Amino acid sequence: MPKRLETFIESVILASRWLLVIFYLGLAVALAVYAMTFGVKLFDFISRVFVIDEADSILKMLGLIDAALVASLVVMVIISGYENFVSRFDDENQVHWLGEIDAGSLKIKVASTIVAISSIHLLQIFLNTERYSGETLMWYTIIHLAFVFSALFLAFIDRISAMTKSLGKKAAGAPSKSA
């Protein structure tokens, strides 16, 4: 009886991963809504391209780039999260461009994208410095540097982890030196 109970509990726990699909579908809906806001920003930019100055044009384009990075981040999380935690895609050729993204490399890609998004926001702020106090600019810069250091630290941890795994595989495959 205890073994059947254990098997049942393990089955329920394993099946619970399918609840993640709700989150991934929700992110897909959120991405569609975000695509509509991107369309509004793009239309606004196109309709005013000949009446705005170069600095405003750059700011609008940076906003579009920022939106594209956020959308890419959402897609990356949806696809790799589904593939890593729920189920493999039946046709691997559909997602061959994704490559191997495990949870560790996903964290690094997410952190890198966050740093890129933060960089764009910081650039937008620096192009409008007259709107911000020196203290506000300092805090935006500190927050950006925190993102940068976090991404670097995650990459460092991932590198150490990969080296540790590599050394473990070599040690497991090495012949023992017993005489």
Side-chain angles (χ1 to χ4, degrees), residues 76-89:
M76 192 180 352
V77 168
I78 291 170
I79 292 174
S80 62
Y82 181 86
E83 177 115 329
N84 282 316
F85 302 115
V86 180
S87 178
R88 297 266 180 226
F89 287 97

Side-chain angles (χ1 to χ4, degrees), residues 151-165:
L152 289 172
F153 191 66
L154 279 173
F156 176 73
I157 290 171
D158 191 56
R159 173 114 170 131
I160 298 270
S161 176
M163 289 171 45
T164 304
K165 286 179 187 176

Side-chain angles (χ1 to χ4, degrees), residues 12-179:
V12 169
I13 289 171
L14 189 59
S16 69
R17 76 186 190 280
W18 287 96
L19 293 173
L20 289 170
V21 171
I22 296 167
F23 294 94
Y24 299 135
L25 291 174
L27 284 174
V29 170
L31 184 62
V33 171
Y34 196 56
M36 288 187 282
T37 64
F38 177 84
V40 169
K41 287 180 187 178
L42 181 61
F43 179 77
D44 179 57
F45 176 59
I46 292 170
S47 66
R48 298 178 40 197
V49 73
F50 295 112
V51 294
I52 58 176
D53 62 7
E54 184 179 2
D56 285 338
S57 179
I58 291 171
L59 287 170
K60 295 244 182 238
M61 286 189 292
L62 287 172
L64 295 173
I65 292 168
D66 184 41
L69 286 171
V70 170
S72 298
L73 176 63
V74 171
V75 168
M76 192 180 352
V77 168
I78 291 170
I79 292 174
S80 62
Y82 181 86
E83 177 115 329
N84 282 316
F85 302 115
V86 180
S87 178
R88 297 266 180 226
F89 287 97
D90 290 336
D91 185 4
E92 291 290 328
N93 292 328
Q94 286 181 326
V95 290
H96 71 282
W97 46 267
L98 189 61
E100 286 291 319
I101 296 184
D102 59 3
S105 61
L106 177 62
K107 287 178 192 174
I108 292 173
K109 287 182 185 288
V110 168
S112 300
T113 304
I114 289 171
V115 168
I117 291 167
S118 175
S119 298
I120 289 171
H121 280 278
L122 197 57
L123 182 57
Q124 288 172 324
I125 289 166
F126 285 159
L127 290 173
N128 284 314
T129 54
E130 67 278 354
R131 292 184 180 175
Y132 301 96
S133 69
E135 184 179 349
T136 302
L137 290 172
M138 176 194 68
W139 280 111
Y140 278 123
T141 304
I142 290 171
I143 291 168
H144 173 70
L145 289 174
F147 287 141
V148 170
F149 288 127
S150 296
L152 289 172
F153 191 66
L154 279 173
F156 176 73
I157 290 171
D158 191 56
R159 173 114 170 131
I160 298 270
S161 176
M163 289 171 45
T164 304
K165 286 179 187 176
S166 175
L167 289 174
K169 287 180 183 178
K170 285 181 184 177
S176 62
K177 294 184 179 181
S178 58

